[in-house]
Amino acid sequence: MDSHIITPGPYRATKLWNEVTKLFRAGMPVKKHRQHLKVYLNCFTATTAVDWLHDLLRNNCNFGPEVTRQQTVQLLKKFLKNHVIEDVKGRWGVEDLEDNNQLYRFPPTSPLKPIPASSQGTKKRSLSLKDGEGFFKLRGSKKFDKESQENIAPAVEGSSNDSSLEEARHCREITEKEIQDIWKNVALTHLQKLLGLPSLETVLNPAGVSSHFIMYNMTKVNKHGVVTLDDKTEDLPHWVLSAMKCLANWPKFDQPSYPGFERDVFKSVSDYFHSLPQPLLTFQYYELFVNVLGLLQPALERLAIETLQLCTLLLPPVSRRKLQLLLRMISRMSQNVDMPRLHDTIGTRTLMVQTFSRCVLSCEEEVDLDELLATRLLSFLLDHHQEVLQVPMYLRNAVEQHIAHLRSENKHPLPTYTFCKQISTQEFEEQKLSLSQAAVAELLESIIKDKGMSAKERKKKLRLFQKEYPDIYSRRFPTTESEAQLFADKPKIKPPMLIGMRKVKAFSIRN
């Protein structure tokens, strides 16, 4: 069955659920089965359903080849619980489906999940306008705070020579709060553009985005691009860091030689990340990252990477650092040919994705497709984590340019920005009439004052104008005398000269 990409927008998880449900009901083969001496029509076995649905999900552009058979079984359990399917005796509402020959069928109607007719974005102002207003108000602010200005990253700071210091005394100085707001506005405006949404309010709450986190994640990094924490007590525990280094550098790291040691170390790391109160991408940004999944297509790979760069900048620095270290570890483990098998039946990469997907992305309230969506996202992050989690220089440059513009405000005042004010229909019609009449009157004046135009041509155009716009013409020339005055100063040819010209002409003809 063909599928289509569920693009970013509100309620994307619900739309994905409905998409899979429709594809499964439309394409799943059904036939007659015999069980316990009884014949059942239009049904299928659980194992057949797992086979068919697993193939569908692996080849679906919204999920991908990382989907496992066990995840497919879990989704079928959700289908049974939500009455997408039922057993041949009409029972449903529990998750006791197993990968066996138990018979199931489709109910008469499919319970597609409803999507509200109007999304949040239609009830609120778009982010571009709202943030734009705050952005331009910020440009006109006159606050002064030299000490906080110096907290900006070294790349944003000016040079320290005497001429720069002298110039700085005459520059517009800005506060730390203003600098942080610039980081936030630039990042969110660009994120909205990448997602192609009329408003980010459909996928996150812009007011809940911390400008401090964005600036911190951009400026407080080590030479590898990993966030460094000012408060070391918020960092990973020392024993977890040691365990992760051991696995990432296997077998170079000193370790005991007893069999199964690597599995014990891996379990300790896994247990720690599963014990965290929130996934690394946080509950707050679940809807945002689910929408980014719509960009994970081969043709949109670069766009997806750039979008994830910005999304991960919104995270608390503690979460971003843990995500960076986890991805570095599992990437090295997945590529390490010397790493002993950590599972009897599945490979290292598949194990990494299955183990940590829900630690990276999950919803505060359990969602039916959580595991599949998390697997899809973690697989992409695993392949592109070095690019996704690096500091985007174009964002830094945009902020630098804006701050430099603000600092030079005293020497080169920035333009002021005004926003449109809604008017009534009557006011609009009145303004339209007055403006159009003013333009026509201006045209009349240009005809009158055009010195390169002959009197004959001017009279011809004025007569046409008078015919088309009599009211405007009568206001300009209320009397015939005022119109005649326009041509009164034109020289006339004297009659004697005309007589002389006739005589000369007549004489030449006779001769």
Side-chain angles (χ1 to χ4, degrees):
M1 293 293 295
D2 293 334
S3 63
H4 65 277
I5 299 174
I6 305 298
T7 55
Y11 310 106
R12 186 172 186 273
T14 302
K15 293 175 183 177
L16 285 170
W17 170 268
N18 289 344
E19 169 80 358
V20 175
T21 299
K22 288 188 290 187
L23 291 174
F24 181 59
R25 283 178 58 86
M28 177 64 205
V30 295
K31 62 181 182 179
K32 179 175 66 177
H33 285 84
R34 182 184 297 274
Q35 189 176 75
H36 304 308
L37 304 178
K38 188 173 180 180
V39 174
Y40 297 94
L41 301 176
N42 299 322
C43 58
F44 49 85
T45 66
T47 296
T48 304
V50 173
D51 291 339
W52 192 91
L53 185 58
H54 187 212
D55 184 66
L56 169 71
L57 295 172
R58 285 174 56 84
N59 293 284
N60 187 285
C61 56
N62 296 300
F63 297 97
E66 296 289 343
V67 178
T68 65
R69 187 175 182 85
Q70 182 57 37
Q71 289 173 331
T72 307
V73 173
Q74 293 299 322
L75 180 57
L76 281 170
K77 289 177 182 283
K78 302 289 186 181
F79 279 175
L80 180 60
K81 183 178 180 180
N82 289 277
H83 207 194
V84 176
I85 60 175
E86 61 185 18
D87 71 9
V88 289
K89 295 183 180 179
R91 294 173 297 192
W92 60 279
V94 294
E95 296 186 7
D96 60 355
L97 183 145
E98 300 295 337
D99 191 353
N100 55 25
N101 290 322
Q102 182 67 33
L103 295 178
Y104 294 90
R105 67 188 183 193
F106 293 115
T109 58
S110 176
L112 296 181
K113 295 186 177 182
I115 298 175
S118 60
S119 66
Q120 299 173 13
T122 60
K123 299 179 182 178
K124 302 177 181 178
R125 294 180 299 168
S126 70
L127 177 68
S128 57
L129 173 60
K130 182 172 136 183
D131 275 8
E133 290 175 341
F135 189 71
F136 294 131
K137 287 177 182 176
L138 177 63
R139 292 174 71 122
S141 176
K142 300 294 182 181
K143 296 180 180 178
F144 179 88
D145 188 351
K146 182 175 181 179
E147 291 184 359
S148 58
Q149 176 188 345
E150 295 172 351
N151 290 334
I152 192 66
V156 182
E157 293 176 352
S159 61
S160 58
N161 58 48
D162 293 339
S163 60
S164 296
L165 291 175
E166 179 63 26
E167 182 180 356
R169 295 192 184 98
H170 303 287
C171 287
R172 154 85 157 84
E173 298 198 40
I174 52 180
T175 67
E176 177 75 7
K177 175 64 167 59
E178 288 178 307
I179 292 174
Q180 291 183 0
D181 285 344
I182 292 172
W183 282 103
K184 176 178 176 178
N185 283 313
V186 171
L188 292 186
T189 300
H190 196 64
L191 178 59
Q192 179 183 336
K193 178 182 177 182
L194 292 175
L195 287 173
L197 296 174
S199 171
L200 283 181
E201 292 175 347
T202 60
V203 296
L204 59 80
N205 176 19
V209 176
S210 170
S211 55
H212 171 71
F213 289 170
I214 298 174
M215 179 176 167
Y216 193 104
N217 288 330
M218 284 287 297
T219 59
K220 299 293 184 70
V221 296
N222 62 20
K223 62 180 181 180
H224 302 294
V226 178
V227 174
T228 58
L229 301 178
D230 293 334
D231 185 356
K232 301 303 181 182
T233 61
E234 296 180 332
D235 202 355
L236 289 163
H238 178 72
W239 62 270
V240 176
L241 282 172
S242 297
M244 294 175 71
K245 288 179 181 179
C246 174
L247 294 171
N249 296 287
W250 189 278
K252 297 178 181 178
F253 201 87
D254 294 334
Q255 69 274 331
S257 58
Y258 70 84
F261 171 74
E262 67 282 353
R263 296 193 180 192
D264 291 342
V265 176
F266 178 72
K267 187 176 185 306
S268 67
V269 174
S270 172
D271 289 345
Y272 170 78
F273 281 97
H274 278 276
S275 69
L276 296 176
Q278 285 201 67
L280 297 179
L281 299 182
T282 73
F283 293 136
Q284 177 184 359
Y285 296 119
Y286 173 79
E287 190 67 29
L288 174 62
F289 282 99
V290 166
N291 275 274
V292 176
L293 288 170
L295 303 176
L296 303 189
Q297 313 299 328
L300 301 176
E301 183 176 291
R302 174 49 50 187
L303 178 62
I305 290 173
E306 194 171 338
T307 305
L308 284 170
Q309 278 184 338
L310 294 176
C311 291
T312 53
L313 287 175
L314 310 184
L315 299 173
V318 174
S319 298
R320 180 176 168 91
R321 174 175 170 81
K322 290 179 180 178
L323 177 65
Q324 288 176 305
L325 295 177
L326 176 64
L327 290 175
R328 287 164 64 91
M329 181 198 77
I330 61 179
S331 175
R332 291 185 181 182
M333 291 177 65
S334 300
Q335 299 173 17
N336 187 359
V337 294
D338 296 323
M339 172 61 66
R341 291 187 67 88
L342 299 173
H343 194 277
D344 295 333
T345 58
I346 59 178
T348 302
R349 178 190 167 93
T350 303
L351 176 64
M352 297 296 106
V353 173
Q354 288 187 22
T355 301
F356 295 108
S357 59
R358 294 294 295 273
C359 301
V360 173
L361 177 71
S362 62
C363 186
E364 189 169 10
E365 297 180 1
E366 184 179 0
V367 176
D368 297 317
L369 294 176
D370 259 4
E371 190 167 349
L372 293 178
L373 298 177
T375 297
R376 175 94 165 125
L377 182 59
L378 182 55
S379 297
F380 187 86
L381 289 174
L382 189 55
D383 292 332
H384 304 282
H385 70 96
Q386 291 182 337
E387 292 180 279
V388 168
L389 292 172
Q390 70 181 4
V391 174
M393 293 308 299
Y394 69 87
L395 183 64
R396 181 190 291 275
N397 293 337
V399 173
E400 286 181 29
Q401 292 172 8
H402 188 71
I403 292 177
H405 207 162
L406 284 176
R407 285 174 172 169
S408 62
E409 189 178 29
N410 286 341
K411 295 184 295 181
H412 305 286
L414 292 173
T416 58
Y417 295 84
T418 58
F419 293 88
C420 296
K421 178 182 178 181
Q422 186 173 4
I423 60 175
S424 65
T425 304
Q426 181 181 355
E427 288 178 296
F428 172 75
E429 294 297 333
E430 291 175 354
Q431 290 183 15
K432 181 173 70 172
L433 179 61
S434 63
L435 290 173
S436 61
Q437 288 185 344
V440 174
E442 186 177 349
L443 173 62
L444 176 58
E445 291 297 326
S446 67
I447 296 174
I448 295 170
K449 297 178 180 180
D450 189 349
K451 295 182 179 179
M453 191 182 301
S454 66
K456 182 178 179 180
E457 185 179 1
R458 178 178 290 107
K459 284 184 179 181
K460 181 179 179 180
K461 289 191 175 184
L462 288 175
R463 293 296 170 260
L464 289 173
F465 189 97
Q466 185 180 22
K467 182 179 178 181
E468 294 292 332
Y469 306 102
D471 294 338
I472 299 175
Y473 191 85
S474 63
R475 286 200 298 268
R476 179 63 175 83
F477 300 107
T479 63
T480 55
E481 289 77 8
S482 61
E483 181 183 12
Q485 183 67 30
L486 178 63
F487 304 97
D489 55 348
K490 298 298 180 183
K492 296 182 179 179
I493 301 176
K494 297 179 180 180
M497 186 179 295
L498 291 174
I499 294 172
M501 291 176 65
R502 292 193 193 100
K503 289 181 178 180
V504 172
K505 186 175 183 182
F507 178 80
S508 62
I509 291 175
R510 286 196 300 267
N511 293 333

